[in-house]
């Protein structure tokens, strides 16, 4: 049987959560680098054959392409029995925090990081960047408070909701987030990183944007 293939690139937090879930779950897969910064995800070959949305991640599994990181994590967790909700109430809470993350935390942290680090400077608008950072920090305040008296986001054990919410918070590029300012988030990120087989996004996936060279 052909090994599943994850279409991804290292800078994508959305792809990272899928890759992290598969890695921690012991779900064997291969990565296929998508040259996002040179426009591969928008080219007809990719949109026609991989993902019509022009995005990563996409998972080629059992002859079918699956897109959207939450869908991919759902497939992996149900297939492996790892990091999945153990009852209906927990399932709804995992869904609740995953939706919240997509709309609020990663939904603003991802664009803020992109604007600040990867968008050509001539196209950056400071008011837009300030807005994105402000919304991301507001979401960080919510999750930092939430984690003050618990180890994991949705349940009392790690689930895909944790991988969703953490996905942009391990990256080194600045976007207004400093782990030291958020002690409960910081401790939670350490707990996730202590899970067997955890890896940094740039160790799991190939980078597409040339790293900055220190002067």
């Amino acid at each position: 049987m052909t090994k599943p293939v994850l279409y991804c690139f290292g800078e994508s937090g959305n792809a990272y959560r899928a890759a992290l879930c598969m890695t921690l779950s012991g779900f064997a897969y291969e990565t296929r680098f998508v040259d996002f910064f040179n426009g591969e995800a928008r080219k007809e070959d990719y949109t026609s054959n991989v993902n019509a949305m022009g995005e990563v991640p996409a998972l080629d599994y059992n002859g079918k392409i699956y897109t959207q990181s939450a869908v991919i994590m759902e497939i992996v967790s149900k297939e492996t029995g790892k990091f999945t909700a153990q009852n209906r109430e927990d399932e709804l809470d995992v869904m609740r925090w995953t939706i919240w993350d997509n709309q609020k935390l990663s939904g603003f942290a991802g664009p803020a990081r992109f604007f600040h680090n990867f968008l050509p400077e001539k196209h950056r608008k400071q008011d837009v960047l300030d807005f994105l950072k402000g919304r991301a920090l507001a979401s960080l305040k919510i999750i930092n408070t939430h984690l003050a008296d618990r180890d994991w986001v949705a349940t009392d054990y790690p689930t895909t909701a944790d991988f969703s919410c953490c996905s942009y918070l391990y990256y080194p590029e600045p976007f207004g987030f400093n782990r030291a300012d958020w002690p409960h988030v910081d401790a939670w990120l350490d707990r996730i990183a202590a899970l067997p087989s955890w890896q940094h996004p740039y160790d799991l996936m190939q980078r597409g944007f040339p790293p900055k060279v220190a002067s």
Side-chain angles (χ1 to χ4, degrees):
M1 190 171 87
T2 304
K3 187 178 289 187
V5 175
L6 182 70
Y7 289 80
C8 59
F9 64 97
E11 289 82 358
S12 169
N14 294 324
Y16 177 54
R17 62 171 65 112
L20 182 63
C21 180
M22 288 191 284
T23 299
L24 295 181
S25 299
F27 185 88
Y29 70 102
E30 297 176 350
T31 59
R32 158 63 163 83
F33 172 68
V34 177
D35 194 358
F36 177 85
F37 293 106
N38 284 312
E40 181 182 359
R42 301 290 180 173
K43 291 180 179 177
E44 184 177 354
D45 183 60
Y46 187 86
T47 57
S48 296
N49 298 306
V50 181
N51 189 353
M53 299 173 183
E55 301 171 339
V56 301
L59 177 66
D60 187 343
Y61 180 46
N62 287 342
K64 185 173 181 178
I65 300 286
Y66 298 91
T67 64
Q68 297 301 313
S69 57
V71 171
I72 294 170
M73 290 194 296
E74 175 75 4
I75 291 168
V76 171
S77 65
K78 290 296 172 59
E79 187 80 13
T80 64
K82 305 285 184 65
F83 307 109
T84 188
Q86 297 174 6
N87 54 62
R88 181 57 175 164
E89 185 176 346
D90 285 358
E91 183 178 28
L92 291 173
D93 225 21
V94 168
M95 184 187 302
R96 180 171 73 99
W97 279 99
T98 301
I99 293 170
W100 175 84
D101 170 71
N102 289 183
Q103 293 180 331
K104 301 292 184 179
L105 181 53
S106 294
F108 288 104
R113 175 172 160 270
F114 179 82
F115 265 66
H116 191 73
N117 297 280
F118 305 123
L119 191 70
E121 192 167 355
K122 64 181 180 180
H123 296 309
R124 297 177 197 167
K125 295 183 178 181
Q126 191 61 46
D127 57 340
V128 174
L129 182 57
D130 290 343
F131 172 78
L132 293 171
K133 285 184 176 180
R135 294 302 297 267
L137 293 176
S139 296
L140 280 164
K141 183 177 180 180
I142 290 171
I143 199 167
N144 188 68
T145 300
H146 177 66
L147 289 165
D149 58 357
R150 57 187 301 127
D151 288 341
W152 307 105
V153 169
T155 68
D156 59 2
Y157 49 90
T159 67
T160 56
D162 294 283
F163 306 149
S164 186
C165 292
C166 81
S167 58
Y168 279 96
L169 304 183
Y170 288 110
Y171 284 100
E173 297 87 10
F175 64 91
F177 171 62
N178 182 349
R179 282 180 62 162
D181 295 335
W182 309 95
H184 306 307
V185 169
D186 181 54
W188 165 68
L189 292 174
D190 282 342
R191 284 191 289 275
I192 296 173
L195 294 171
S197 301
W198 179 90
Q199 292 186 58
H200 187 276
Y202 291 146
D203 294 324
L204 279 180
M205 303 176 294
Q206 180 181 335
R207 295 187 69 165
F209 197 85
K212 294 180 179 179
V213 178
S215 56

